[in-house]
Amino acid sequence: MKAMLRYLDGYRRETVIAPLFKMLEALFDLFVPLVMADIIDHGIAAGDTRYILLRCGLLVLLGSVGLLCSVTAQYFSAKAAVGYASSLRRALFSHIQSLSFSSLDQLGVSTLITRMTSDVNQVQNGLNLFLRLFLRSPFVVFGSLVMAFFIDGRAALIFALTIPLLSVVVFGIMRLTMPMYQRAQTGLDRVLSITRENLSGARVVRAFHKEAAETERFREANAGLARMQLRVGRLSALMNPLTYAIVNLAIVALLQTGAVNIDAGSLRQGDLIALVNYMGQVLIELVKLANLIIQVSRALASAKRIGAVLAAPAGMQFPAENRAPRPAAPGAQIAVRFSHVCLTYAGAGAESLSDISFLARRGETIGVIGGTGSGKTSLVSLIPRFYDASSGTVEVFGQPVTDYDRQTLRSRIGLVMQKTRLFSGTIRDNLRYGDAAADDAALWEALSTAQAAEFVKAKPRGLDEMVEQNGRNLSGGQRQRLAIARALVRRPDILILDDSASALDFATDAALRQAIAGLSGDMTVFIVSQRTASLMQADRILVLDDGQLVGNGTHGELLKTCAVYREIHESQFQRGGEA
């Protein structure tokens, strides 16, 4: 929590000015009952209209100055709160960008979205109220107590009994509600997660006619969140009636004591009105303080959740960027080498990859095939170092991937992931995500290789055609081809296509593989696919089964020696038939 305060460094002046002006406003408010008492005891009692008007003018002056102080305090507190939230959100986003895939898997995308939005807003609102009220409310409460003793010591004893009783109610409810607000935020994470899943997988839900089941799942999560919020809301709602009941009983006692003292001549009528006004101020300020405590409790719970993300280690340490590169190793003609590599995901009970060893030379095309969950994506994710191997060594061009800085390693690798991700913007913007300096000629060359030039030319605006988020206005095949073109724009040394042609027909897939094979240079290509037809022409094919490498050879060799590969192939082609 203390580490989060550093984001207030640029707003130290505002955090001092805002509460000071609020205290000035409170000071002027404390003078108002005294002026009212003076008007009653001297102006009204003597029938002196001039005196009454002068004191009314003083009240207007006190109100005007108090208003000016309040507006000033509000301005500086809002500036500090918004600035702090902006810095915190920026730091949080930057830290999330630095997290490894393992850390992101553990934290979960939905909870990160909640913490970036709802939790940061809660902290902002809590800080705003804290700067405005954390000095003002206690100052008015204790100031009213002092003024009450100044007016009449015996009547002030009622204040001395009422204020601690109110404090017990306020802080007791705060102690109970604070952990409940944190659990409510966790429930909000679950509702957001289910909503996100249904929005991203709407087509799958409808295809399998699961609308009713998903609606019921959302209803249960939403009902759980509603129950939690109602429970904490009911408990918080007790604060106002309890405080009003205590203060009104105190006012009754005050009126009774004041009436006796007025009859005895030891208290004036104006002083009794001033005491009732001070009791009213205590009530108002304690209600404000109660609301402040509730809001701050929620803000602290949210701040704790944000702090947990900021405290999460990046998971991977990369060497400093722009350092002098090491001389090329003797095996630099070997593009990728896996040596007894194992991978276990965080929190997983078993290895996802076990004792994987192979090498890929420059210019080779390596196919990767296996059943669902066999570890294909896990294997290729180790090359750009999205995950670190649990044991063993992954080398790229003769150097362990742990020796590369992030920029150098990933600038040499072009990756088209299993789930295509396009960004809102033009086609040109999406392609230049691979290389910001690429000209239109390079973009069209990449599009031609990816078999996407034809449909892009058919668009009314060509490269300037707008793409919606995730390419919602494009077909699955068009999205995949644009993603492949984006990777090719970088002109990488290693190209990884992770099941990125699954939405293409066989003819387009074949043309794409032929075009990639015809690229000049020594680019090493990894093709992950479920189709043996997509890998037949590969120089070598890696066959994975339950995280183990069970086959390594050409298509013809594997048909003879690898039962797993033969089974996959025969399931896609009639036994004995031609591919």
Side-chain angles (χ1 to χ4, degrees), residues 31-32 35 38 52-64:
F31 285 134
V32 170
V35 176
D38 192 39
I52 294 173
L53 292 175
L54 287 174
R55 288 296 181 268
C56 287
L58 180 59
L59 286 176
V60 172
L61 179 61
L62 289 173
S64 299

Side-chain angles (χ1 to χ4, degrees), residues 446 449-450 483-492 495 512 516 519 523:
T449 303
I484 294 169
R486 179 174 59 191
L488 291 172
V489 166
R490 176 173 283 184
R491 299 180 182 274
L495 177 64
L512 171 64
I516 291 176
L519 291 174
M523 184 169 66

Side-chain angles (χ1 to χ4, degrees), residues 220-465:
E220 289 178 2
N222 192 44
L225 176 61
R227 283 194 298 270
M228 176 60 67
Q229 290 178 328
L230 284 172
R231 194 177 303 125
V232 69
R234 291 190 187 104
L235 190 57
S236 299
L238 290 174
M239 191 171 295
N240 279 1
L242 287 176
T243 52
Y244 272 96
I246 292 170
V247 170
N248 280 300
L249 289 173
I251 290 176
V252 170
L254 193 62
L255 289 173
Q256 183 181 8
T257 303
V260 172
N261 291 339
I262 289 172
D263 283 341
S266 60
L267 187 69
R268 294 178 296 184
Q269 294 176 345
D271 292 337
L272 178 59
I273 297 299
L275 288 171
V276 172
N277 280 338
Y278 281 128
M279 185 61 74
Q281 286 192 0
V282 169
L283 170 62
I284 292 171
E285 293 304 323
L286 282 175
V287 170
K288 287 182 181 179
L289 185 62
N291 292 329
L292 169 65
I293 291 171
I294 292 173
Q295 188 63 45
V296 169
S297 298
R298 299 178 69 175
L300 288 174
S302 295
K304 187 176 180 180
R305 287 158 50 84
I306 295 169
V309 176
L310 291 173
M316 287 184 180
Q317 297 298 323
F318 286 84
E321 295 186 6
N322 301 322
R323 67 177 186 175
R326 278 172 37 185
Q333 285 304 312
I334 296 175
V336 177
R337 184 197 297 271
F338 277 53
S339 300
H340 304 289
V341 171
C342 298
L343 173 64
T344 303
Y345 289 109
E351 290 182 334
S352 297
L353 295 175
S354 301
D355 196 28
I356 304 293
S357 296
F358 71 90
L359 59 86
R361 293 181 175 84
R362 285 180 181 267
E364 281 191 328
T365 297
I366 306 297
V368 184
I369 195 169
T372 302
S374 60
K376 302 185 296 296
T377 297
S378 298
L379 185 143
V380 296
S381 294
L382 293 174
I383 300 173
R385 203 186 169 198
F386 289 155
Y387 297 92
D388 273 334
S390 306
S391 62
T393 305
V394 180
E395 295 181 0
V396 172
F397 298 113
Q399 296 188 42
V401 291
T402 52
D403 286 354
Y404 284 92
D405 66 78
R406 192 194 310 264
Q407 176 63 28
T408 302
L409 175 63
R410 293 179 182 168
S411 65
R412 304 188 71 173
I413 299 172
L415 176 64
V416 184
M417 302 183 74
Q418 200 168 13
K419 293 182 179 180
T420 305
R421 289 285 183 263
L422 297 177
F423 300 96
S424 56
T426 64
I427 293 177
R428 179 184 281 104
D429 294 335
N430 274 275
L431 295 180
R432 283 183 174 169
Y433 206 79
D435 181 4
D439 57 18
D440 283 3
L443 300 185
W444 282 113
E445 181 182 353
L447 287 169
S448 178
T449 303
Q451 310 302 303
E454 183 178 350
F455 85 80
V456 172
K457 288 177 180 177
K459 298 289 183 182
R461 301 177 63 186
L463 290 173
D464 293 318
E465 187 72 20

Side-chain angles (χ1 to χ4, degrees), residues 55-96:
R55 288 296 181 268
C56 287
L58 180 59
L59 286 176
V60 172
L61 179 61
L62 289 173
S64 299
V65 176
L67 176 63
L68 181 62
C69 292
S70 177
V71 170
T72 304
Q74 176 65 47
Y75 170 77
F76 283 106
S77 64
K79 183 178 179 181
V82 172
Y84 173 76
S86 177
S87 300
L88 181 60
R89 194 179 289 110
R90 191 182 306 114
L92 186 59
F93 184 80
S94 177
H95 183 68
I96 290 172

